[in-house]
Amino acid sequence: MLLAAFTWTEFAQQLAAGIREGAIYAGLALAIVIIYRSTRVINFAQGEMATFTTFIAWSLMNQGLSFWAAFPIVLAIAFTGGVAIERVLIRPVENAPVLTIVIITLGLALLLNGLMSMIWGGGNRQFHGPFSTRTIDVGGVPVSVQDIGIVVVSILLVVLLGFFFRFTKVGLGMRAAAVNRDSSRLAGVRVGWMLALGWGIAAVLGAVAGMMIAPVVFLDPNMMQTILLYAFAAAVLGGLDSPVGAVVGGILLGVTITLLGRYVGFIGSTLKLPAALLLILVLLLLRPGGLFGRVTVRRV
Amino acid sequence: MSRLELRNVEARYGPVKVLHGVSLTVGDGELVAVLGANGAGKTTTLRAISGTVRRSGDLVFDGKALSRRTEVTARAGIAHVPEGRGTFSDLSVWENLRLGAYTRRGGIKEDAQRVFSFFPRLEARRNQQAGTLSGGEQQMLALGRAMMARPKLLLLDEPSLGLAPIVVTEIFGALERMKGEDGMSVLVVEQNANLALAHAARAYVLEVGNVVVDGTSDELRANESIRKSYLGY
Ligand SMILES: Nc1ncnc2c1ncn2[C@@H]1O[C@H](COP(=O)(O)OP(=O)(O)OP(=O)(O)O)[C@@H](O)[C@H]1O
Ligand SMILES: [Mg+2]
């Protein structure tokens, strides 16, 4: 194995970059898990949904809005769109086999991708993010303000969601509907709406991830495709059932592949994805449920 | 006026009809029992009321036609503790109770306190995952969860199943007190007919999806064939 030259400063920098990558994966992975938990469906349109809403942000900013003025508008549009997708596309096939629904999400991904090309055209676009790309000194390590900003926004979002699920009535209703629909209905929980709400929240998570990563990678209709693969990997790594697992899995994956890509010579940037998938394969052989897969204690 | 009235209710699982025209009433603040052999359709009768099985016929609750949609019946004031208890095993005891009060706002802490006063064991296990409770504790939790809804009508499916006699006494004691305090009506399915008749004002006996006998508990106890088939003396 060819190891690259090593300095602690550079290691810390790579670590920071990895955490920033991971924060994006974590956000998308969380979106995937929220939908998967309640419906056992992997939403393959998650990436395109995120990119689509990022394009909306881009358009709004083109109209002269600042990023932070466009931000809440985009979140509201994302939320409404997510709920609408569930009501219009998913609800009618609710009782169909999971495969049918998965194929619908694939179709939705293609549809959104086509729409984006139609409306905004292909090609890369500069997306001006809210954070400056200049670096500041954090304990002797130069870190870009943008990276810090992305991580802080992601953490805030995750904490907010955690609070919502743990301490609000609707959050409790959503968790209940995800684990036991029949009992939830008996308790008066409007299960259908809880599922739609899950899609709305997933769309919001995607929108935030999209708006955070677009300044780093340029905006184009396929922007999220590779990132979504990493997010799937992160979700599986954490355990598809576990929101906490999705976040931890995302960060771990981001850090691991960034460090591997930098320090293990032959991996470089081209073999990062296969390397990540291989690592996950090994982990799943050891822990089939993922890191945080459901460890439910049940009496029989 | 009766709180709940079923007229000629039929219910089916797929193509198989299991209730063939069940009629019954439950009065305001009344505790009514449903008796019958295994497979007679007792559980299905409760499920027909809460809309968890396909059914037809007239169902009137508080003077209004009852919705087929389960969450609407819950919001209308019907709490159903199903066969197998239906607790959320992944959630904590407290979260289960909180879900019981999902359709209400206000007074939730006080009501939880009341549940804990009936079942002190639950308070000690507040933050424990419901799936790790003992069978009796789960039944207490199921009943506590229903209490949290302050229902007008409680549907209970075999609350004594698999429980020690002392726990059964505890549970029925709590039921009587709740009924007294809230003026709630109760429709309870029980295998243990002696127990059911001891607490119920009236009872219906089901056989293969039909009501074959009904009357006050005293009348049923005096009925020789009921005594032989269900009371065992
Ligand atoms: N989900 C189901 N699908 C098909 N048939 C069912 C289903 N549930 C119940 N049945 C049938 O309906 C009939 C009535 O069942 P039900 O559960 O109402 O009986 P029960 O009186 O509650 O019996 P038990 O005392 O054993 O609980 C039975 O013949 C049963 O086999
Ligand atoms: Mg039964």
Side-chain angles (χ1 to χ4, degrees):
Chain A
M1 236 191 307
L2 273 139
L3 289 183
F6 183 89
T7 65
W8 278 110
T9 311
E10 209 219 338
F11 179 79
Q13 254 179 314
Q14 291 292 329
L15 197 62
I19 292 174
R20 187 261 283 147
E21 290 269 298
I24 301 290
Y25 304 155
L28 275 188
L30 189 54
I32 290 163
V33 165
I34 286 175
I35 289 180
Y36 179 81
R37 260 166 73 79
S38 54
T39 52
R40 303 287 125 181
V41 168
I42 301 267
N43 176 18
F44 283 99
Q46 190 68 56
E48 260 69 16
M49 283 163 60
T51 312
F52 197 95
T53 43
T54 308
F55 264 109
I56 294 176
W58 182 83
S59 290
L60 288 174
M61 285 158 70
N62 253 3
Q63 301 296 311
L65 261 65
S66 74
F67 179 90
W68 291 117
F71 190 75
I73 301 175
V74 172
L75 297 196
I77 292 173
F79 181 79
T80 316
V83 170
I85 287 172
E86 199 278 341
R87 294 273 100 172
V88 176
L89 291 180
I90 309 298
R91 186 85 201 275
V93 292
E94 202 177 23
N95 299 317
V98 165
L99 190 61
T100 309
I101 309 179
V102 168
I103 287 172
I104 286 181
T105 72
L106 273 171
L108 178 64
L110 292 175
L111 176 75
L112 288 176
N113 197 291
L115 275 178
M116 283 188 277
S117 300
M118 235 172 71
I119 303 173
W120 290 287
N124 288 352
R125 253 161 248 272
Q126 182 91 43
F127 183 95
H128 294 286
F131 307 112
S132 122
T133 48
R134 98 194 135 76
T135 57
I136 55 170
D137 186 274
V138 182
V141 182
V143 183
S144 87
V145 174
Q146 178 164 273
D147 285 3
I148 296 174
I150 290 175
V151 172
V152 168
V153 168
S154 305
I155 290 175
L156 273 181
L157 191 62
V158 167
V159 168
L160 220 67
L161 267 182
F163 185 87
F164 168 76
F165 280 120
R166 192 139 295 275
F167 297 113
T168 70
K169 187 168 118 171
V170 176
L172 180 61
M174 284 183 69
R175 282 197 290 144
V179 294
N180 191 338
R181 287 194 194 183
D182 294 335
S183 289
S184 300
R185 290 207 172 91
L186 287 178
V189 177
R190 292 187 173 97
V191 172
W193 278 109
M194 295 301 128
L195 303 183
L197 211 55
W199 275 79
I201 291 173
V204 165
L205 280 164
V208 174
M211 286 186 282
M212 288 296 124
I213 202 65
V216 183
V217 298
F218 295 106
L219 176 59
D220 87 283
N222 303 324
M223 170 179 86
M224 280 294 190
Q225 281 171 3
T226 319
I227 298 175
L228 188 66
L229 281 181
Y230 283 116
F232 282 145
V236 172
L237 179 65
L240 267 172
D241 250 320
S242 161
V244 176
V247 174
V248 175
I251 305 280
L252 261 182
L253 189 69
V255 169
T256 310
I257 59 173
T258 307
L259 293 182
L260 280 182
R262 173 66 187 87
Y263 290 109
V264 183
F266 71 94
I267 289 182
S269 61
T270 41
L271 286 180
K272 277 202 297 199
L273 188 56
L277 295 179
L278 191 67
L279 274 180
I280 286 160
L281 200 69
V282 172
L283 180 112
L284 287 183
L285 287 173
L286 300 174
R287 273 189 73 95
L291 289 175
F292 290 76
R294 245 146 69 111
V295 255
T296 321
V297 209
R298 239 192 221 108
R299 285 178 175 259
V300 196
Chain B
M1 193 190 78
S2 60
R3 175 143 282 169
L4 175 76
E5 182 168 2
L6 270 58
R7 276 189 301 261
N8 265 317
V9 170
E10 302 188 342
R12 55 182 71 236
Y13 295 100
V16 186
K17 203 203 270 183
V18 281
L19 294 187
H20 309 275
V22 168
S23 300
L24 60 78
T25 62
V26 182
D28 243 349
E30 191 183 29
L31 197 160
V32 175
V34 177
L35 310 176
N38 292 125
K42 306 180 297 295
T43 294
T44 307
T45 302
L46 298 191
R47 299 186 65 186
I49 298 168
S50 64
T52 42
V53 65
R54 252 181 65 208
R55 44 98 163 151
S56 60
D58 292 330
L59 292 91
V60 181
F61 179 63
D62 268 348
K64 286 196 275 295
L66 193 56
S67 167
R68 275 168 206 284
R69 296 188 44 215
T70 304
E71 51 256 61
V72 180
T73 64
R75 283 163 187 273
I78 296 180
H80 182 173
V81 179
E83 209 169 27
R85 306 186 184 106
T87 47
F88 296 88
S89 45
D90 299 331
L91 304 183
S92 71
V93 166
W94 168 254
E95 285 168 339
N96 269 273
L97 293 177
R98 182 70 194 75
L99 273 166
Y102 195 81
T103 56
R104 300 192 300 116
R105 48 179 77 239
I108 287 162
K109 287 243 162 61
E110 293 78 353
D111 280 11
Q113 226 37 66
R114 186 170 76 135
V115 171
F116 292 145
S117 76
F118 285 137
F119 306 118
R121 269 197 274 181
L122 291 182
E123 183 159 30
R125 289 164 177 74
R126 247 181 104 96
N127 298 316
Q128 191 172 322
Q129 247 190 356
T132 64
L133 296 177
S134 78
E137 289 162 352
Q138 294 207 23
Q139 190 66 57
M140 293 175 196
L141 179 58
L143 194 59
R145 192 155 62 86
M147 284 170 69
M148 293 295 291
R150 287 197 175 267
K152 295 179 187 159
L153 172 68
L154 176 61
L155 308 174
L156 271 182
D157 203 338
E158 306 211 19
S160 73
L161 190 70
L163 301 184
I166 176 121
V167 181
V168 173
T169 312
E170 209 174 323
I171 280 177
F172 271 85
L175 199 60
E176 292 277 4
R177 272 165 64 198
M178 274 168 68
K179 194 165 72 71
E181 287 172 22
D182 294 3
M184 161 185 82
S185 309
V186 183
L187 185 60
V188 59
V189 165
E190 248 314 325
Q191 289 288 344
N192 184 340
N194 284 306
L195 175 72
L197 292 182
H199 291 276
R202 291 186 302 117
Y204 292 83
V205 179
L206 283 184
E207 260 170 38
V208 282
N210 290 293
V211 174
V212 288
V213 181
D214 73 273
T216 65
S217 296
D218 290 336
E219 281 164 10
L220 291 186
R221 267 191 292 259
N223 180 323
E224 186 148 355
S225 77
I226 298 288
R227 229 170 44 210
K228 283 215 177 86
S229 323
Y230 297 102
L231 301 173
Y233 57 83

